[in-house]
Amino acid sequence: MTRPTIIVHMSMSINGNITGPYGSVVEGEALKQAYESKHEYFDSKAMILGRKTIEEAFTATEMPELPSHPQIYSREEDYIADSDYNHYMVSLDPSGKAAWTSNYTTFRERPEMHVVEVVSETVSDAYLEHLRNLGISYIFGGENHQLDLKLVLEKLYRYFNLETVVLAGGGSINWSFFEQGLVDEVSVVIVPAVDDHYGRPQLFNNSHEDSDIKPQGFKIKHLEQLDGDIIWIHYSK
Ligand SMILES: NC(=O)c1ccc[n+]([C@@H]2O[C@H](COP(=O)([O-])OP(=O)(O)OC[C@H]3O[C@@H](n4cnc5c(N)ncnc54)[C@H](OP(=O)(O)O)[C@@H]3O)[C@@H](O)[C@H]2O)c1
């Protein structure tokens, strides 16, 4: 079965921080411009984000009231809402925590993106009905919390015809894709700063002990110095 190419595209400090104030060392809009211009280069119609990043940047802070008497929805059937959008925000949210209030979202000057929730079979019927009421698509990515990300990618290809998808963090979701052998390319916009990393997720953030993961090598496809002493490195296999 075919799946889209996965490109991890992130900004980070020299020491691999992806959160915190490292971007403040660069003047004006240089970081945003660097990140956005390289995102455009990939010509991807979809971005995948982890639940924590989604909640930090895209959803309401509190869950809207969920239907009190939902129907029972089959876990065998994904739900693809009718919509005219052709760009997608894919939210990896196994338990159904993201407090969406609309079936599309925006980011900077990019086209509006239809929301696609990736959930596990343990999600509540009330949450599924909430998504349906809003016209948000959802797909099942596995029986439980540890989603089968290959299956998720195959479904994204099948339903939305996606050939290239940008995986844009955070660190734990990036790690999950790496762990399952699904990272094809890595694009990093490196800010010339070293910053405190205590307690912060890194570019690929494995937060549990796991001894069996082998390193994977990449080759440089592009290497550019951009405004503000920012470096862009694009690796592929
Ligand atoms: N610098 C950049 O370019 C950039 C880009 C994006 C984000 N960020 C930053 O990254 C930070 C968040 O990163 P993070 O690593 O803490 O969180 P994250 O990757 O955004 O989200 C982690 C959550 O995703 C779900 N998840 C992760 N792996 C999974 C798997 N294999 N199967 C199913 N669900 C999985 C889990 O949700 P549940 O807990 O609900 O199970 C997990 O807690 C934010 O502060 C954000 O600002 C930076």
Side-chain angles (χ1 to χ4, degrees), residues 11 18-19 22 51 53 56 97 145 147 168 170-173 176:
S11 75
I18 58 164
T19 66
Y22 63 86
R51 191 267 307 165
T53 303
E56 187 180 290
K97 295 178 187 163
H145 181 266
L147 299 179
S172 54
I173 213 71
S176 295

Side-chain angles (χ1 to χ4, degrees), residues 49-120:
L49 293 177
R51 191 267 307 165
K52 290 189 182 165
T53 303
I54 288 284
E55 286 194 325
E56 187 180 290
F58 295 98
T59 59
T61 45
E62 278 188 35
M63 185 67 86
E65 196 171 332
L66 297 181
S68 47
H69 300 292
Q71 286 181 37
I72 294 175
Y73 294 98
S74 164
R75 271 50 177 172
E76 305 283 304
E77 285 170 32
D78 302 315
Y79 174 72
I80 307 304
D82 273 342
S83 95
D84 292 332
Y85 298 104
N86 59 6
H87 285 74
Y88 303 92
M89 167 66 81
V90 181
S91 160
L92 280 188
D93 179 21
S95 317
K97 295 178 187 163
W100 294 109
T101 54
S102 164
N103 74 340
Y104 74 94
T105 189
T106 56
F107 184 65
R108 297 178 173 160
E109 285 85 39
R110 295 187 198 173
E112 292 173 343
M113 294 168 274
H114 176 62
V115 175
V116 179
E117 268 274 314
V118 179
V119 292
S120 74

